[in-house]
Amino acid sequence: MKKLIFILGASGSGKTTNVKNIENKYTDKYYFAYFDQPKVPSVEEVQEKHGGWENWGIERTNEWIKKIKA
């Protein structure tokens, strides 16, 4: 059975750095994909269009899952 693992956390908390360290050890065993959001919207835009940061994060995660499945 294939497993999919998501690493989530606050911006700047070290997610990418830590995953890259793990990737360096296990390059031949696992596939690593990075879906960093290149542009984080303003607080006003997040509130107006998404109803808050939690909803924005859920929407982004669902988009990433669709990309991975494709």
Side-chain angles (χ1 to χ4, degrees):
M1 172 195 250
K2 293 183 180 181
K3 293 183 180 181
L4 187 60
I5 299 170
F6 290 89
I7 307 297
L8 306 170
S11 181
S13 64
K15 300 175 300 294
T16 301
T17 299
N18 285 306
V19 171
K20 285 184 185 260
N21 288 334
I22 295 167
E23 182 178 17
N24 287 334
K25 289 184 178 182
Y26 300 102
T27 301
D28 57 340
K29 191 171 181 180
Y30 301 103
Y31 173 75
F32 293 82
Y34 298 88
F35 296 98
D36 294 77
Q37 182 68 24
K39 179 189 175 286
V40 177
S42 68
V43 173
E44 295 80 17
E45 184 179 346
V46 169
Q47 270 306 99
E48 186 177 307
K49 292 184 179 179
H50 308 281
W53 288 109
E54 184 175 353
N55 290 338
W56 180 81
I58 291 168
E59 291 170 17
R60 297 296 76 72
T61 301
N62 287 332
E63 286 178 12
W64 299 334
I65 290 169
K66 286 179 188 175
K67 288 180 184 180
I68 291 168
K69 285 183 176 181

